[in-house]
């Protein structure tokens, strides 16, 4: 427990960051097993609402892979992945949409409201927020590649102090629904909104040289080093779409992208409001 003097020092330390980022858009991607704990979920929501209270514009983009796996298993539907992305046939697409849009999205909106924030739940289909085309239908099925992001609805919400909560589904111009990798959707939204930061809340400390040794955490890396680590197999599996999304974002003007451990208390606030960022930070060069 901090005493009064320590609390004052903490507030003084974060004030320059509040001043710097006030009025800036921060994209937060939330998913994975970090979503399974109610305690952690509430902690994340509290941090998001706090950022909104102090004048930042958070946008929460979420997946829900663990919950989707649970319901697919219940229905005895097999899950298949390629490079960390779910292969999505027609019945899987229906389950993905029901879980992400109908269940998880509404739960997150409700938690924000209960915590004193203002939120509106969306998916890529709402207001043509994210139009897509098949990524590779033969190999991946109804997995979409984002063609465009319509920022009008997001800006409308942000300007009225609402926190957009975006589920990772979209559609094409004919209304066909697609499963979108939430990491990539978060990146595309960050680019479209000229976001200051893109933060990935994960269940790992960040990018590790050795997955069994947290002391090998890579704190800062640029695009070239990220590609080198992928070639060596150090960046693999589900970390690949996250790192590619980080590269996509910082290549198109987002100042920094962060992969942090969402299980750690207030890690989101530390990544935005302090100099010593937790996890791994990816920058352009």
């Amino acid at each position: 427990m901090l005493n009064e003097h320590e609390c004052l020092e903490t507030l003084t330390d974060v004030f320059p960051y509040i001043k710097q980022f006030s009025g800036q858009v921060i994209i937060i991607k939330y998913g994975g097993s970090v979503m399974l704990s109610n305690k952690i979920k509430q902690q994340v929501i509290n941090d998001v609402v706090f950022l909104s209270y102090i004048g930042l514009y958070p946008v929460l983009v979420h997946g829900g892979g663990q919950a989707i796996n649970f319901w697919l298993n219940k229905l005895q539907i097999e899950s298949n992945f390629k490079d960390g992305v779910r292969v999505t046939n027609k019945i899987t697409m229906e389950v993905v949409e029901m879980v992400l849009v109908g269940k998880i999205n509404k739960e997150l909106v409700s938690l924000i409201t209960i915590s004193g924030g203002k939120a509106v739940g969306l998916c890529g289909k709402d207001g043509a927020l994210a139009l897509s085309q098949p990524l590779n239908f033969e190999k991946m099925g109804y997995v979409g590649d984002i063609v465009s992001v319509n920022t009008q609805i997001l800006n409308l919400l942000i300007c009225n102090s609402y926190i957009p909560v975006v589920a990772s589904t979209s559609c094409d111009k004919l209304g066909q629904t697609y499963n979108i990798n939430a990491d990539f959707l978060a990146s595309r939204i960050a680019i479209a909104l000229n976001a200051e930061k893109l933060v990935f809340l994960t269940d790992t400390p960040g990018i590790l040289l050795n997955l069994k040794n947290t002391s090998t955490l890579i704190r800062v890396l640029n695009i070239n080093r990220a590609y080198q680590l992928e070639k060596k197999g150090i960046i693999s599996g589900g970390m690949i779409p996250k790192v590619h999304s980080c590269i996509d974002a910082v290549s198109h003007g987002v100042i920094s992208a962060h992969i942090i451990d969402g299980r750690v208390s207030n890690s989101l606030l530390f990544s935005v409001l302090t100099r010593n960022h937790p996890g791994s930070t990816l920058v352009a060069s």
Side-chain angles (χ1 to χ4, degrees), residues 27-91:
I27 308 299
I28 303 149
K29 189 272 175 173
Y30 179 43
S33 62
V34 182
M35 303 184 79
L36 298 182
S37 164
N38 289 331
K39 181 180 178 181
I40 295 174
K41 193 182 296 182
Q42 186 62 63
Q43 171 186 294
V44 169
I45 294 302
N46 288 344
D47 285 359
V48 172
V49 172
F50 180 81
L51 291 175
S52 178
Y53 272 12
I54 62 175
L56 283 72
Y57 296 138
V59 177
L60 188 62
V61 180
H62 71 86
Q66 298 288 343
I68 292 168
N69 289 342
F70 174 83
W71 286 104
L72 288 173
N73 288 335
K74 279 274 189 182
L75 297 169
Q76 298 183 335
I77 300 170
E78 185 179 359
S79 296
N80 294 305
F81 292 85
K82 289 184 180 178
D83 293 329
V85 179
R86 185 186 305 275
V87 178
T88 308
N89 59 23
K90 193 166 186 178
I91 185 64

Side-chain angles (χ1 to χ4, degrees), residues 221-225 246-247 249-257 281-285:
L221 67 162
N222 60 23
I223 293 173
N224 288 336
R225 190 175 185 206
C246 288
I247 291 171
V250 299
S251 296
H252 290 88
V254 177
I255 302 302
S256 60
T281 299
L282 198 143
V283 294
S285 59

Side-chain angles (χ1 to χ4, degrees), residues 87-138:
V87 178
T88 308
N89 59 23
K90 193 166 186 178
I91 185 64
T92 300
M93 184 67 250
E94 291 179 3
V95 175
V96 167
E97 186 168 31
M98 285 189 288
V99 173
L100 292 184
V101 182
K103 188 175 189 300
I104 295 175
N105 189 268
K106 304 316 169 192
E107 286 178 355
L108 295 175
V109 169
S110 179
L111 281 173
I112 291 173
T113 303
I114 292 169
S115 300
K118 295 164 57 179
V120 172
L122 303 163
C123 70
K125 296 168 72 172
D126 294 317
L129 193 158
L131 288 179
S132 300
Q133 62 186 11
L135 179 65
N136 185 328
F137 191 81
E138 185 177 337

